[in-house]
Structures are given as C-alpha cells and as structure tokens.
Amino acid sequence: MALGSLLPELQPGGSGRTPLIERVGRWAREKPDAPAFTFVDYSLDPSGVKFTLSWAETDRRARATAAGLRRAAGPGERAALLLPQNHEYMMTMLGAMYARVVAVPLFSPDQPGHGERLVGVYNDADPTVIVTTRSAEPHVEKFLADNDVPRPREVVFADDIDPALAAEWRDEPIDPDDLAYLQYTSGSTRRPAGVEITHASLAANALQLWAGWAPDTPNPELVTWLPLFHDMGLMSAMGLPLVYGDHVIYTAPLSFLMRPMRWLQLISECENVYTAAPNFAYEYVASQATPEKVAELDLSGLITCLNGAEPVRASTMAAFAETFAPAGLRAGAQAPAFGLAEATVFVTAAAEDVPPKVITVDRDALALGGLEQCEAGTGRESLLVSCGRPVGQFVAIVDPETRVEQPDGRVGEIWVHGPNNSPGYWRNPERTRATFGAELAAAGALPEGPWMRTGDYGVVHEGELYVTGRIKDLIIVDGRNHYPQDLEVTTQESHAAVRPEFVAAFAVEDGGAERLVVVAERNRRVPLARLDLDEVHGAVRAAVSVEHEMSVHDFVLIEPGGVSRTSSGKVARAATRQRYLDGGLPTTRARLAARK
C-alpha cells in the first residue's frame, strides 16, 4: 500500500529546489528588524539569558562567516563543527552554505559519552578545516592529540570572525544538487554513515514539514533544545525558520536535560508555537512535572508538538496529555511522526489537530506479517500509534525480498521516494546503491525508482502509516518475529527496579539458534539496600513468558547510564549487544558484590 503525492512547488521545474540559504537575504531585506534566532543561555543564569539576532544581523553574520571560511577552505571541502550549541554554531552552518563549503555538524569534544563516535565520524568526513570557539579550543586540541585523526589544514574560530567581513562576501551561484552538509546518522557499532544532504533536499524537506504542520496561524515561532548535530534538531532550529522567515528560540540540550521544564516554560512564553522532540523527551518532562510546576505553564499556544526520531509510545502520549492538560495543552497538539536522516529528516506526521490515533492489534498476527485489530485485555495485544501520512513524497510498504508492494494491512519494509531523499552516503557507493537505489518489481502508477529503503518495518491501515520496528533489530525465535520494543515495554512494566525507557532487548546466537537477551538499567528510585536481584530476574522472566510466550536466555540488570544510546537519545541495541558480548556492562550484581 502506498501513500503520498508531490507538492506543486516540488514538481519538476517547481520552486522547491531553490537553496534555502537564498531566503536569508530575502528576509533580511523584507523584515530586517524581525527576530530570527534567539539563543537562551542557562549557563550564565539559571533563569536563562536571551541573545536575539534579527534577520538583518543574521544575514550579516552569515556572510561574514562565509568570507572567513572561504579563506580556509574551498567549495566542496569539509568543515567539521566542533563547537558548543549557540549562535556561533548556527552562523557557521549558514555561512558554510553561502560559501559552498560542506559543513559536518558535530559537537565540542568535551561532550560526554560520544568520544568514540566523534573519532569515527571525523575520520570518515576527512575535514579540511575545523570550526570551533576559543572556549572549546583546549578540548579540540586534546581531541587531536589523543586520537588517531588527521590534523586539519586550519582551525577557524567562529567567535573571532569580524562581522565587518560581510562586506567582502559576494554571492555565488549555488547548484541545488551541491552538498550543503553531511548528516551523520545516530551511531551504533558499524562504520559511521555520512548522509549527503543537498541544498535541494534540504529545501524540499523544509517545505514538506511546514506543509505537514500547516502553519496557518500568524507569526508562528519554534522552540527547541535538540542538538544541532542531529537531523531533527538541525531542521527544527535552522531549516524551518528559513522557509517563511519565522522566529526560532533554542537552547542547549544539556539545559533541557538538567531542568526539562525549561522547554515548556519557553513554549509558554509564545502565542503560536511549534516544537519537536523524541519520545523519551515527552516521557522525561512528564515524569519531572509537579502540580505546582504545571500551574505555572500556559500551553494553550502550543499548536503542534512533533514526536519522532524514535518509536512513539501510546503510554508516553497519554501521560504527557494527562499531565499538561491543566496547563491548556490541546488534545490534538501531539503529532506522532516518522523520519530519518536518509530522507533529510521528515517523512510522515499525524498533525491534523485531532488526538493521536492508537489501535490495538493482535501481537501473534503482527508476528506473522498481518495487522488484525483486537480488544484490549486479551493478553496478546500490542498498541500501535499512527504516524500519519507523507507530505510531498511517496511512501510504499514493500516486501524487501520480492520488491512487491504490499496491500493495506500487510507488514513490509517502508520505502520512500521524493525530492527530499539524499543522493547517498559519503564515499560509500556500495551502501548507497543498497539503500537508495531500490526499484519496485511492479510499480504500476507509482515511480519505479529510485526508492530509499528505510530499514524499518511498517504497515498502512486506513490510509495512515504505522511503524512496527527496525528490520535489523527484529528478534526471530522459534520461527516467530518479535519486535524488541514490545519486549522492552513488558520488561520495564514487570518490576519497579527497572528504569523505564532504558531497556534493550536483542538476540544472540547460542547453539545455532537465536536466544533472547534483555539488558535493563536499575531504577534509582529503588535503593540498593532494598534491591532483591532474584526477585527482579524472576519478575522479568515471568512477564516475558506470559506476554510473549518465549523464554529469556539472559537478563542483566545494570547500573544507571549503562545502556548505550545514540546521538538522539534512542537506545542503541546493537552497541549494547556488543558490550554485552564483550563483558563490558556495569552490572548491578557486581556493584552489590563490591559493597559487601
């Protein structure tokens, strides 16, 4: 079953291929004094200090950055962004696009938990220059000295660039098919994959996302804390404001993680506001809210809050809605979505201003590739959340072996065709062909190709997309398919000692057969002194046996922070599995033994 169509401006010959960077100058001319980017710095004051750039100042600083970058790198060369999230980061991205230098959005090397990933990405991108700030310089020097990475030809300090350099910059024609930046996918144990984002694909996806959100309210604003080195964060904070010259208010990820209510407080200050975040963020902020904190919020101006970048859970949406309804949160504000870096970011969303659609389906039928709705309470059900419909692109559900499009109600791989698709992976032609060169066996009215294979399983029901899981994460035991997210939910609900949203289920080979292993972090709310490991193990094994009719080969309770996560906060099952096999997990049993 296929969904979608192209937007008029994205048809061949339409205006949708015009590079977004050209709109910066347009807004600087048409509304020079209007706010463009506001960065909220909580490191200077816990209540936040706001620094706002107008569109005129944004254009001036971006052109100055372009002139500074061009002195160090030529068109097509890579510039690695190793600096904190602030205006310097944003202006470097815009300046690189003006200068036709290919940006590699990364992060300051002192960011904890991503050192190995940074080394891999840096080596793969092979940058000509590094862009950083004076405050981050010691961390960059240490990174270069401590790791087997090539030194750049030059280091550019974004905070040293004189805005007066803007007068030197002369606009150059930009081919829409030129690379704008390399978006590295969330890490696992495999080689880093740099997705090539062109100026045309960036422009197309920004238009698609705005059309999917339908911003028909005056002067919409965006609030985000997402990392700018991640696809959703970069589109939210940089891509969307450029489309219509809207105002974005952003802060650093750590500011949200330390005090999640800051996110909703910033939203409360806006009359018409959009936001986006992964599922874990909505779960996290709801868990940290108190009636007193909620009473201080006004979320009546929140038009749409996109929930994507990882599996969307019905329980999370319900908890978020219930927690913040007293603050004026509309039932239809939540918008489950599906996307990935290979499609720039956005593919589908359910943003029709109605409550998110959740269906109850038979788990056994789903394991056999079919969608059958059932009543709740059977003990054999799973909840699936609709991720809506594509906008400006096509989505097809396809049998990955036969390449035949599947009918409504049949599970298959999600394929995407549209102008937002990346042309491929950086310096990886073999993987590019495998992912971006798919063709339908019997296209019919659909384009024959090229289609992008997402690696996700999904099903179309009543004209909407439901994502069922990652193909590579699928666990096959005794000939039956099991989706890891179902097993992870069962595990976290089986005992209070299991930390919600920090569970990884995966398969290992044992005696020629696949066996289930579940790794879960300990919930800090259960003190070590009162923890009964045998009780936790028994509860998990019993719950999985009853709910899924399968045995747990091994269950490992580990210390908080031990489950590997990707750059966007998703559980990295492959990386956790490798650490399990290597014996590198910080087990709670070892912690208890050390206390004795």
Side-chain angles (χ1 to χ4, degrees):
M1 180 69 185
L3 303 169
S5 62
L6 294 181
L7 296 171
E9 58 266 50
L10 298 180
Q11 298 282 357
S15 61
R17 284 173 52 83
T18 303
L20 277 185
I21 189 63
E22 295 184 9
R23 300 197 181 202
V24 177
R26 173 183 172 182
W27 307 131
R29 294 188 301 272
E30 294 184 6
K31 45 182 175 182
D33 299 326
F37 296 96
T38 294
F39 178 71
V40 187
D41 193 338
Y42 291 97
S43 67
L44 301 176
D45 187 320
S47 61
V49 179
K50 295 181 179 179
F51 298 91
T52 298
L53 297 177
S54 67
W55 279 108
E57 184 62 15
T58 293
D59 191 45
R60 180 169 176 251
R61 289 187 57 174
R63 290 172 185 273
T65 302
L69 282 174
R70 181 56 65 80
R71 293 178 176 180
E77 293 185 314
R78 276 83 54 216
L81 277 63
L82 304 185
L83 67 167
Q85 183 151 309
N86 51 29
H87 281 331
E88 279 74 29
Y89 198 115
M90 189 72 73
M91 294 306 106
T92 300
M93 285 298 304
L94 297 177
M97 285 195 283
Y98 263 134
R100 297 188 291 133
V101 171
V102 180
V104 185
L106 297 172
F107 42 87
S108 178
D110 62 318
Q111 181 167 314
H114 296 293
E116 185 177 348
R117 176 177 182 268
L118 182 59
V119 171
V121 169
Y122 184 93
N123 279 326
D124 188 73
D126 190 22
T128 301
V129 300
I130 284 176
V131 183
T132 189
T133 57
R134 289 295 178 184
S135 64
E137 181 181 11
H139 308 298
V140 171
E141 287 299 328
K142 187 175 188 304
F143 168 75
L144 294 172
D146 292 352
N147 296 286
D148 183 18
V149 296
R151 292 195 68 89
R153 189 167 65 211
E154 190 170 340
V155 175
V156 175
F157 295 96
D159 43 355
D160 283 355
I161 294 176
D162 185 353
L165 280 178
E168 295 184 7
W169 181 251
R170 297 294 179 267
D171 284 345
E172 301 175 355
I174 299 173
D175 189 321
D177 293 323
D178 281 347
L179 294 187
Y181 56 92
L182 296 179
Q183 180 67 68
Y184 277 85
T185 55
S186 299
S188 65
T189 57
R190 68 189 184 190
R191 174 187 169 187
V195 180
E196 298 176 341
I197 305 299
T198 66
H199 287 274
S201 57
L202 172 63
N205 206 227
L207 288 167
Q208 289 164 337
L209 184 48
W210 260 140
W213 276 2
D216 54 1
T217 52
N219 302 315
E221 296 178 291
L222 294 112
V223 168
T224 181
W225 51 267
L226 295 172
L228 295 178
F229 61 82
H230 185 254
D231 50 8
M232 183 189 282
L234 194 58
M235 179 61 78
S236 299
M238 183 192 74
L240 282 175
L242 299 187
V243 177
Y244 298 116
D246 296 314
H247 179 209
V248 64
I249 302 155
Y250 69 111
T251 188
L254 186 60
S255 297
F256 162 76
L257 294 172
M258 291 179 63
R259 295 187 184 179
M261 295 301 291
R262 287 168 169 165
W263 178 29
L264 301 188
Q265 288 164 355
L266 290 175
I267 290 172
S268 292
E269 299 172 6
C270 304
E271 292 185 8
N272 299 303
V273 60
Y274 293 78
T275 194
N279 187 85
F280 89 87
Y282 295 97
E283 181 90 24
Y284 181 41
V285 74
S287 70
Q288 298 298 305
T290 64
E292 293 76 19
K293 292 178 180 177
V294 172
E296 298 173 356
L297 301 174
D298 178 6
L299 301 181
S300 60
L302 180 53
I303 303 167
T304 302
C305 47
L306 206 69
N307 183 335
E310 62 185 18
V312 181
R313 290 184 170 164
S315 58
T316 298
M317 295 191 304
F320 187 77
E322 180 180 357
T323 301
F324 296 107
L329 178 69
R330 295 178 3 269
Q334 294 192 77
F338 168 70
L340 65 168
E342 286 80 353
T344 304
V345 60
F346 169 72
V347 177
T348 71
E352 288 82 18
D353 198 16
V354 295
K357 184 182 294 184
V358 179
I359 59 175
T360 305
V361 302
D362 184 274
R363 187 185 299 138
D364 292 333
L366 199 65
L368 296 174
L371 186 147
E372 293 182 11
Q373 290 187 259
C374 65
E375 297 295 326
T378 65
R380 307 301 310 152
E381 74 269 15
S382 290
L383 297 179
L384 295 182
V385 178
S386 169
C387 290
R389 302 174 177 85
V391 178
Q393 55 194 300
F394 294 98
V395 167
I397 304 299
V398 183
D399 183 315
E401 301 299 327
T402 65
R403 299 182 291 113
V404 172
E405 184 190 356
Q406 298 298 288
D408 190 291
R410 291 298 301 175
V411 176
E413 185 178 9
I414 303 170
W415 288 18
V416 179
H417 175 89
N420 53 300
N421 276 0
S422 163
Y425 295 111
W426 173 249
R427 291 178 174 175
N428 197 331
E430 182 177 350
R431 190 172 174 188
T432 293
R433 284 191 297 271
T435 300
F436 296 95
E439 294 185 352
L440 290 172
L446 292 172
E448 182 178 344
W451 290 80
M452 183 265 290
R453 303 182 60 163
T454 67
D456 287 292
Y457 275 131
V459 60
V460 170
H461 174 66
E462 296 182 349
E464 299 189 16
L465 176 67
Y466 293 81
V467 181
T468 58
R470 290 287 296 169
I471 290 176
K472 67 175 183 177
D473 290 335
L474 195 67
I475 299 170
I476 305 174
V477 176
D478 297 330
R480 296 180 62 220
N481 297 337
H482 299 272
Y483 293 100
Q485 60 266 32
D486 291 338
L487 296 161
E488 290 160 1
V489 169
T490 297
T491 299
Q492 72 183 37
E493 292 178 350
S494 67
H495 199 282
V498 177
R499 185 182 182 188
E501 307 296 330
F502 288 81
V503 183
F506 48 84
V508 298
E509 188 172 317
D510 179 64
E514 283 201 342
R515 308 295 186 192
L516 172 64
V517 173
V518 180
V519 173
E521 289 188 14
R522 175 177 61 84
N523 192 338
R524 287 190 177 93
R525 296 183 179 181
V526 177
L528 274 172
R530 295 205 319 237
L531 186 64
D532 185 332
L533 274 183
D534 291 337
E535 177 185 294
V536 180
H537 281 240
V540 170
R541 293 178 184 275
V544 172
S545 177
V546 170
E547 291 290 327
H548 303 276
E549 295 182 356
M550 65 188 305
S551 60
V552 177
H553 174 70
D554 193 13
F555 170 70
V556 185
L557 191 67
I558 63 176
E559 288 301 280
V563 169
S564 298
R565 301 183 80 84
T566 69
S567 61
S568 61
K570 293 183 285 189
V571 170
R573 298 185 183 98
T576 303
R577 178 182 183 275
Q578 189 60 52
R579 292 173 64 205
Y580 166 81
L581 294 173
D582 294 340
L585 293 172
T587 66
T588 298
R589 189 176 296 279
R591 170 81 182 276
L592 288 171
R595 287 167 57 94
K596 294 180 180 179

